[in-house]
């Protein structure tokens, strides 16, 4: 995508195959390879190497060594290839990533891993997270033009959507939650597609709705509406209430930010509701005053008993507020912890149901502060710079919307820095996209002599 506003009006009324064929015809071998790496990365994250897991199988939650090894190898190789491509042609872009703040964060993560309660687990998972995150950050640089970036993104989205719908039609036992599921049989009837849970399918579908709207805005009047409509319908049938509510609300919020000129006003619009949501959820278990306010609300902000988990999680933060318990090393076995006593069903939880609280547990409060500076505050400043230079406004709005959705989704679910989680991948891609758009202009299409 490397560098400007795309015009895809010539794609209107034509198939994805024709558009992709014409685009690839103007690229050389290396540029085509870059596009293929981008598509492969998107499909590896969204479809995975193990789609349509059988949730009726008691062994479905067990980690299979060979399968995990294949994941590490696949992501590692793709990340290495992406780095080589980026070094060859995008060295100025890569240099902008080397900042004191980013270096501090990497250094802190290394310290956290070294002092982790389960060092081997943290090291192993950090390696995978580093590979996946590197792919997400470099993916906006891989396609040589914004038009090819659009086609890669739209093509991968359509492949995923077709797979999900085929699963529902041809193998519903593998793509729809059933009463025979080993865990959470109460979700029977909710669509999950190729994913292992509706809570992964629903936010991914929300992001694909935004992708479809973006593609429509830049002139793809066939692929764009198809992606948006298919993803929107699937989102409804997942039964994912949080994602369904956030889908339109976040797009409206992003549209308001888009037309607002003042950076400070943008910050108020973006962060004031986010702070309120965190106060009414996690904050309600730490403050009697906030708890009293939440009881007066017409809805339950604790999402039916998550307050037990948050109390348990806050106790875990208090145990090691500075260094944390170790990256991705806390929730594997919490039943034996001292803080688990009296926590009821909280000890069976896989995470804290709040991304920010989870980071405080695992990488400590200094790590959480660095994440807020890099992933919460900086992207909005980058979007402001993108608008000031009038660089690819439609693409900038897409990245802004995905970023905002991730911030708000993180108040109820855990995904930040979570290895190969597709929501984290798309969120990191959006953050990186805003970073590059603030500093470089995109190439619309290849010049005839290139």
């Amino acid at each position: 995508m490397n560098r400007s506003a795309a015009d895809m009006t010539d794609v209107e009324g034509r198939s994805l195959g024709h558009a992709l064929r014409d685009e690839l015809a103007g690229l050389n071998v290396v540029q085509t390879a870059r596009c293929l790496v981008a598509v492969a990365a998107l499909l590896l994250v969204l479809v995975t190497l193990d789609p349509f897991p059988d949730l009726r199988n008691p062994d479905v939650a067990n980690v299979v060594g060979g399968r995990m090894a294949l994941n590490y190898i696949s992501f590692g190789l793709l990340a290495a290839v992406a780095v080589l491509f980026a070094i060859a042609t995008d060295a100025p872009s890569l240099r902008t990533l080397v900042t004191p703040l980013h270096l501090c964060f990497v250094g802190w993560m290394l310290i956290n891993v070294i002092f982790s309660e389960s060092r081997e687990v943290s090291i192993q998972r950090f390696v995978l997270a580093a590979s996946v995150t590197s792919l997400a950050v470099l993916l906006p640089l891989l396609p040589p033009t914004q038009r090819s970036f659009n086609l890669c993104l739209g093509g991968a989205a359509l492949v995923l959507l077709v797979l999900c719908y085929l699963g529902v039609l041809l193998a519903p036992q593998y793509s729809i939650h059933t009463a025979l599921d080993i865990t959470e049989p109460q979700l029977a009837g909710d669509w999950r597609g190729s994913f292992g849970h509706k809570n992964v399918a629903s936010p991914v579908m929300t992001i694909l709705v935004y992708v479809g709207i973006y593609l429509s805005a830049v002139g793809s009047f066939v692929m764009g509406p198809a992606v948006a409509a298919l993803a929107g319908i699937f989102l409804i049938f997942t039964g994912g209430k949080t994602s369904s509510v956030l889908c339109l609300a976040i797009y409206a919020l992003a549209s308001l930010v888009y037309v607002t000129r003042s950076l400070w006003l943008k910050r108020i619009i973006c962060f004031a509701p986010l702070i309120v949501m965190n106060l009414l959820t996690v904050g309600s278990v730490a403050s009697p005053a906030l708890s009293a306010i939440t009881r007066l609300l017409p809805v339950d902000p604790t999402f039916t008993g998550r307050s037990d988990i948050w109390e348990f999680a806050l106790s875990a933060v208090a145990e090691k507020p500075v260094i944390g318990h170790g990256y991705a090393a806390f929730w594997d076995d919490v039943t034996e912890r001292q803080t688990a006593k009296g926590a009821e069903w909280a000890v069976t939880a896989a995470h804290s149901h709040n991304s920010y609280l989870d980071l405080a547990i695992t990488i400590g409060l200094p790590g959480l502060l660095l994440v807020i500076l890099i992933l919460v505050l900086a992207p909005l400043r980058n979007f402001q710079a993108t608008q000031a230079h009038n660089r690819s406004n439609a693409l900038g709005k897409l990245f802004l919307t995905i970023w905002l959705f991730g911030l708000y989704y993180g108040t109820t679910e855990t995904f930040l820095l979570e290895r190969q989680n597709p929501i984290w991948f798309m969120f990191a891609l959006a953050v990186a996209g805003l970073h590059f758009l603030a500093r470089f202009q995109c190439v619309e299409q290849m010049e005839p002599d290139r």
Side-chain angles (χ1 to χ4, degrees), residues 25 50 91 112 155 163 259 364 385:
D50 188 29
N112 175 265
L163 282 175
V259 298

Side-chain angles (χ1 to χ4, degrees), residues 335-378:
T335 57
E336 299 302 321
R337 295 182 182 274
Q338 183 66 27
T339 48
K341 293 181 178 179
E344 299 178 7
W345 72 285
V347 298
T348 66
H351 51 80
S352 67
H353 289 279
N354 183 286
S355 289
Y356 311 101
L357 179 56
D358 223 75
L359 290 178
I361 294 172
T362 56
I363 64 174
L365 295 178
L368 174 61
L369 176 61
L370 288 170
V371 167
I372 290 174
L373 292 175
I374 295 170
L375 300 181
V376 179
L377 298 180

Side-chain angles (χ1 to χ4, degrees), residues 157-158 160-162 164-165 191 201-213 223-241 243-245 247-248:
L158 283 177
L160 173 66
L161 288 166
V162 168
C164 287
Y165 275 98
W191 291 11
S202 56
V204 169
M205 292 301 158
T206 298
I207 291 173
L208 293 189
V209 169
Y210 300 149
V211 170
I213 294 174
M223 182 166 59
V227 169
L230 290 172
I233 293 170
F234 205 99
L235 171 62
I236 294 172
F237 283 99
T238 63
K241 297 181 180 64
S243 295
S244 297
V245 171
C247 183
L248 295 180

Side-chain angles (χ1 to χ4, degrees), residues 376-389:
V376 179
L377 298 180
L380 187 59
R381 188 170 60 250
N382 286 331
F383 178 72
Q384 179 79 352
T386 298
Q387 280 193 309
H389 294 91

Side-chain angles (χ1 to χ4, degrees), residues 153-224:
L153 189 59
L158 283 177
V159 170
L160 173 66
L161 288 166
V162 168
L163 282 175
C164 287
Y165 275 98
L166 286 176
V168 169
L169 293 174
L170 303 179
Q173 69 274 25
Y174 296 106
S175 53
I176 300 177
H177 285 286
T178 73
L180 298 178
D181 289 357
I182 300 301
T183 60
E184 298 184 287
Q186 70 273 16
L187 299 180
D190 291 339
W191 291 11
R192 59 182 176 89
S194 60
F195 301 97
H197 199 283
K198 73 162 192 173
N199 285 347
V200 180
S202 56
V204 169
M205 292 301 158
T206 298
I207 291 173
L208 293 189
V209 169
Y210 300 149
V211 170
I213 294 174
Y214 158 70
L215 293 174
S216 301
V218 295
S220 181
F221 299 130
V222 175
M223 182 166 59

